[in-house]
């Protein structure tokens, strides 16, 4: 109490008597009517009165720990004079009461005029402010670890160590999870916070987010997912107080709607990235208002919303800065909406477009997008059931800047559409990816003389069962400069079907993935290593059950640059591993033998030899290799990450 009495700040004490000088009698005061000091703080707080026992003309305090006896406003006045650093952290460790009280003190309430402790390193005022404003610390709370107590500890502990810059909360403790109180502690103690991510936290509402808005004016990124208690009120508070907001992600927030988005668009003029998914209250007015007001908006992602053609028309007219656009599950948007978005000529800077499960994408609207988005370089269509060969070929002709084309589950596109797109795409297409396109059927058709696509460097055809020998041969003739080849899950291709493609690749293959091509044998691997062994860097043969040690022998003899080899679930034995270990020119860094049941502990010396260059080794599901053998390998190959 002497410190408080002698303090020469704004607080005032009105003496009416004195304490006993004997330390033994510090807890006993006589004559309550005339010998009690009365303390008036500048800002009143809820007062917690310690219990007293009265007896005759005198009273005494119930003998409890001093934490329980001191009124809360006294603790507050003491704590706000404690310098940041070790002292404040030490106080926070005393009890939960002290921790929560410390975390409730705002930065503005901390008294700057205090004596410097000898235990604290001297820091100049400018340096101290720099440390507080840097905000380079990151904290992530997941599941049971996400509680108010932990948030309070983070708020107190990080304030003197550079400041909290990024906070992520994933889930919450069901018994004592994160609430608005914990988020308020962060708001009070972490003004340097720039990124906040809340996922599946139903107990945090508008009050907590409003506290963040009031205390963390430097906030740049806000990520809300499955936060049903947060509504437009919380989002409006962010808009009013966080002008530096550049990134906003909202997903599955059932109470956020148009009003919140309109406030963001009106007040957060620096917004650059927007993502909204599965928010039933978000409709045309919110999206259109935000897009038309945000002149710096470059990335937009809209999925599973009840918006209509109007929103896409606004995007087409006002999205002049948008470079990346993702649209998915927009069931109320028709062909007209996508057509207007294309012909509006506003998306001149758009370079990447992804459309998933949108009925409005048809041949007509796809061609309009190709003509209107003149700088479009990456196009991805997923589950667009109304796109056919004609639309794909027309789009390929119109999109003169296209570099990457990806089609997934577009079942109306056939072999004719793929060949036509390749021959009409111009000279810039570098990558073609086809995934689960069931409309492709392997037919030996007579095509007229087609222009080759000499710019294509990457070809990925995954899980398209109809893509077979004839299709591969045609693609090989059209694309002679392929360097990356991925044919995962093409069960129908055989050695005779793949060989013409390998022979037509003039540039030299560097990356080849043939996982789960069940009918391939050692013959095609012999041809592959003979033709491209000088350039091959990655080879994935996972699940090719007919591949044996002979393929490893060919690899060891012909491959000079190979650093990543996957022969999981192949018919590989110890002899093949021995052959690999004897190849002096090989410098394998990653080797996967998962599921190779014939590889046993006898291969250990060969693996140790390969381990001189390995940084990754996969021995999962190798039933013939015991756990003790793996432990010995881990000990000896200490630089290698071993999975078992």
């Amino acid at each position: 109490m002497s410190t408080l009495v002698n303090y020469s700040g704004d607080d005032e004490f009105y003496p009416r008597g004195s304490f006993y000088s004997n330390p033994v009698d510090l807890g006993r005061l006589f004559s309550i009517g005339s010998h009690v000091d009365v303390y008036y703080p500048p800002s009143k707080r809820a007062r917690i009165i310690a219990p007293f026992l009265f007896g005759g003309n005198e009273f005494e305090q119930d003998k409890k720990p001093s934490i329980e006896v001191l009124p809360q406003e006294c603790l507050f006045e003491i704590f706000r004079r404690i310098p940041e650093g070790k002292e404040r952290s030490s106080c926070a460790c005393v009890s939960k009461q002290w921790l929560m009280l410390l975390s409730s003190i705002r930065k503005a309430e901390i008294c700057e005029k205090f004596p410097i402790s000898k235990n604290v390193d001297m820091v100049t005022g400018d340096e101290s402010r720099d440390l507080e404003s840097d905000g380079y610390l990151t904290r992530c709370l997941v599941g049971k670890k996400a509680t108010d107590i932990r948030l309070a500890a983070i708020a107190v502990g990080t304030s003197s160590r550079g400041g909290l810059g990024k906070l992520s909360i994933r889930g919450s403790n069901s018994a004592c999870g994160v609430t608005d109180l914990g988020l308020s502690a962060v708001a009070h103690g972490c003004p340097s916070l720039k990124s906040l991510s809340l996922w599946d936290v139903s107990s945090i509402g508008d009050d907590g987010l409003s506290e963040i808005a009031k205390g963390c004016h430097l906030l740049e990124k806000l990520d809300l997912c499955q936060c049903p208690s947060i509504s437009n009120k919380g989002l409006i508070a962010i808009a009013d107080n966080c002008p530096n907001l550049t990134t906003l992600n909202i997903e599955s927030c059932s109470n956020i709607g148009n009003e919140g988005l309109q406030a963001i668009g009106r007040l957060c003029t620096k917004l650059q990235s927007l993502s909204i998914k599965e928010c039933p209250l978000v409709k045309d007015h919110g999206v259109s208002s935000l897009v038309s007001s945000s002149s710096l908006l470059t990335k937009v992602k809209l999925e599973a919303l009840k918006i209509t053609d109007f929103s896409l028309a606004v995007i087409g007219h006002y999205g002049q800065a948008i470079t990346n656009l993702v649209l998915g599950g927009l069931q109320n948007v028709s062909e007209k909406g996508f057509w207007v978005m294309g012909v509006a000529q506003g998306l001149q800077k758009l370079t990447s477009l992804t459309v998933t499960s949108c009925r409005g994408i048809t041949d007509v609207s796809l061609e309009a997008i190709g003509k209107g988005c003149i700088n479009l370089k990456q196009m991805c269509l997923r589950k667009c059931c109304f796109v056919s060969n004609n639309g794909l070929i027309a789009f390929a002709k119109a999109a003169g800047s296209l570099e990457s084309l990806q089609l997934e589950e577009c079942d109306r596109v056939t072999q004719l559409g793929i060949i036509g797109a390749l021959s009409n795409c111009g000279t810039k297409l570098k990558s073609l990816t086809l995934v689960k396109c069931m409309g492709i059927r392997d037919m030996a058709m007579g095509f007229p003389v087609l222009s080759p696509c000499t710019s294509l460097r990457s070809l990925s055809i995954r899980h398209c069962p109809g893509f077979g020998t004839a299709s591969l041969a045609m693609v090989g003739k059209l694309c002679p400069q392929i360097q990356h080849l991925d044919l995962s899950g093409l069960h129908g291709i055989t050695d005779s079907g793949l060989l013409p493609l390998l022979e037509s690749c003039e540039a030299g293959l560097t990356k080849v993935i043939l996982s789960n091509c069940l009918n391939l044998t050692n013959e095609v691997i012999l041809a592959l290593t003979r033709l491209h062994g000088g350039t091959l860097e990655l080879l994935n043969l996972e699940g090719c059950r007919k591949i044996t040690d002979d393929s490893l022998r060919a690899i060891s003899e012909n491959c000079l640059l190979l650093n990543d080899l996957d022969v999981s679930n192949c018919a590989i034995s110890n002899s093949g591993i021995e052959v690999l270990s004897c190849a002096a020119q090989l410098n394998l860094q990653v080797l996967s033998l998962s599921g190779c049941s014939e590889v046993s502990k006898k291969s250990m010396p060969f693996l140790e030899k390969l381990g001189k260059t390995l940084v990754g080794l996969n021995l999962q599901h190798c039933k013939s290799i015991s756990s003790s053998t793996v432990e010995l390998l881990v000990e000896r190959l200490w630089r290698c990450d071993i999975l078992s």
Side-chain angles (χ1 to χ4, degrees), residues 276-442:
I276 310 174
K277 181 178 181 180
E278 295 179 356
C279 295
L281 297 183
V282 173
K283 297 181 181 179
D284 286 328
H285 290 297
V287 173
S288 59
S289 175
L290 197 155
V291 171
S292 60
S293 303
S294 305
S295 60
L296 301 180
L297 198 60
T298 58
K299 295 181 180 180
V300 177
K301 184 176 182 180
L302 306 173
E303 295 182 295
L305 301 178
K306 295 180 179 180
I307 60 176
T308 66
D309 297 343
F310 180 75
S311 291
L312 263 65
V314 171
I315 292 174
H317 280 90
Y318 295 98
Q320 298 176 358
I322 297 177
T323 60
N324 190 305
L325 179 60
V326 178
L327 305 172
L330 305 181
Q331 300 303 319
N332 295 330
V333 178
S334 68
E335 177 185 77
K336 181 180 179 181
F338 282 98
W339 181 83
V340 172
M341 186 182 75
V343 300
Q345 301 292 322
L347 296 174
Q348 298 294 306
K349 294 184 179 180
L350 187 67
T351 59
S352 176
L353 175 61
T354 300
V355 184
T356 304
S357 300
C358 291
R359 299 177 180 178
I361 282 289
T362 63
D363 292 346
V364 174
S365 59
L366 186 60
E367 183 179 6
I369 291 173
K371 291 179 178 179
C373 305
I374 58 175
N375 290 306
L376 188 63
K377 295 181 179 180
Q378 299 177 0
M379 182 66 171
C380 177
L381 299 176
R382 296 191 181 101
K383 299 181 180 180
C384 294
C385 56
F386 294 112
V387 174
S388 68
N389 294 334
N390 293 333
L392 184 61
I393 295 173
F395 172 77
K397 290 180 180 179
S401 301
L402 192 66
E403 295 181 0
S404 175
L405 176 61
Q406 181 172 343
L407 304 178
E408 295 187 19
E409 299 185 49
C410 296
D411 295 337
R412 289 196 178 186
V413 175
T414 67
Q415 181 192 45
L416 180 63
I418 301 301
I419 301 301
L422 284 173
S423 60
N424 288 280
C425 63
T427 59
K428 294 186 178 181
L429 188 66
K430 297 178 181 179
S431 175
L432 173 64
T433 300
L434 307 175
V435 181
K436 296 181 180 179
C437 292
M438 302 303 176
I440 297 177
R441 295 288 183 269
D442 196 42

Side-chain angles (χ1 to χ4, degrees), residues 461-478:
I461 305 171
R462 305 195 301 269
H463 306 288
C464 298
F467 211 96
T469 301
S471 302
L472 284 176
M474 181 60 67
V475 169
K477 292 179 180 178
L478 282 176

Side-chain angles (χ1 to χ4, degrees), residues 96-173:
K96 291 182 181 179
Q97 179 192 358
W98 283 29
L99 171 62
M100 298 308 293
L101 183 56
L102 279 164
S103 67
S104 69
I105 301 175
R106 299 179 182 274
K107 286 283 185 179
E109 294 176 323
I110 297 177
C111 182
E112 297 182 358
K113 297 179 180 180
F114 48 76
I116 300 176
S117 170
K118 295 180 180 179
N119 296 327
V120 181
D121 295 335
M122 291 291 293
V123 180
T124 65
D126 292 339
E127 291 174 342
S128 177
R129 282 190 293 270
D130 289 343
L131 283 175
E132 291 179 2
S133 62
D134 279 347
Y136 63 85
L137 295 179
T138 299
R139 295 292 182 267
C140 181
L141 301 181
V142 180
K144 294 181 179 180
K145 293 183 179 181
T147 63
D148 287 343
I149 296 297
R150 285 184 181 271
L151 283 180
I154 289 172
V156 174
T158 59
S159 60
S160 62
R161 293 172 173 82
L164 184 66
K166 183 178 181 180
L167 175 63
S168 177
I169 303 175
R170 301 286 191 270
S172 183
N173 191 317

Side-chain angles (χ1 to χ4, degrees), residues 61-269:
Q61 286 183 333
D62 189 9
K63 293 182 179 180
K64 290 184 178 180
S66 59
I67 298 174
E68 302 293 337
V69 173
L70 282 176
Q72 187 148 337
E73 64 268 28
C74 289
L75 285 174
F76 168 76
E77 291 299 330
I78 294 171
F79 288 162
R80 79 185 191 96
R81 289 170 172 79
I82 297 176
E84 294 189 39
K86 295 180 181 179
E87 286 87 348
R88 187 171 289 270
S89 296
S90 297
C91 289
C93 294
V94 171
S95 69
K96 291 182 181 179
Q97 179 192 358
W98 283 29
L99 171 62
M100 298 308 293
L101 183 56
L102 279 164
S103 67
S104 69
I105 301 175
R106 299 179 182 274
K107 286 283 185 179
E109 294 176 323
I110 297 177
C111 182
E112 297 182 358
K113 297 179 180 180
F114 48 76
I116 300 176
S117 170
K118 295 180 180 179
N119 296 327
V120 181
D121 295 335
M122 291 291 293
V123 180
T124 65
D126 292 339
E127 291 174 342
S128 177
R129 282 190 293 270
D130 289 343
L131 283 175
E132 291 179 2
S133 62
D134 279 347
Y136 63 85
L137 295 179
T138 299
R139 295 292 182 267
C140 181
L141 301 181
V142 180
K144 294 181 179 180
K145 293 183 179 181
T147 63
D148 287 343
I149 296 297
R150 285 184 181 271
L151 283 180
I154 289 172
V156 174
T158 59
S159 60
S160 62
R161 293 172 173 82
L164 184 66
K166 183 178 181 180
L167 175 63
S168 177
I169 303 175
R170 301 286 191 270
S172 183
N173 191 317
S174 57
C176 52
V178 173
T179 65
D180 292 336
L181 181 63
L183 216 57
S184 297
V186 173
H188 296 159
C190 307
S192 60
L193 187 68
K194 296 181 180 179
S195 175
L196 176 63
S197 180
L198 304 176
W199 284 20
D200 191 19
V201 189
S202 58
S203 52
I204 290 181
D206 293 330
D207 291 341
L209 195 60
S210 296
E211 287 295 321
I212 289 290
K214 295 175 183 177
C216 306
H217 300 295
L218 300 178
L219 192 69
E220 297 177 357
K221 180 179 179 180
L222 179 62
D223 188 0
L224 304 175
C225 178
Q226 297 182 21
C227 298
S229 299
I230 294 177
S231 68
N232 290 324
K233 180 181 177 182
L235 210 57
I236 292 172
I238 292 291
D240 288 336
N241 295 278
C242 303
N244 293 323
L245 192 70
T246 60
T247 301
L248 177 62
N249 300 325
I250 307 174
E251 180 177 348
S252 301
C253 294
S254 55
N255 287 311
I256 292 180
N258 295 332
E259 293 180 6
L261 295 181
Q262 288 172 341
I264 293 290
R266 185 173 62 255
L267 299 172
C268 299
T269 57

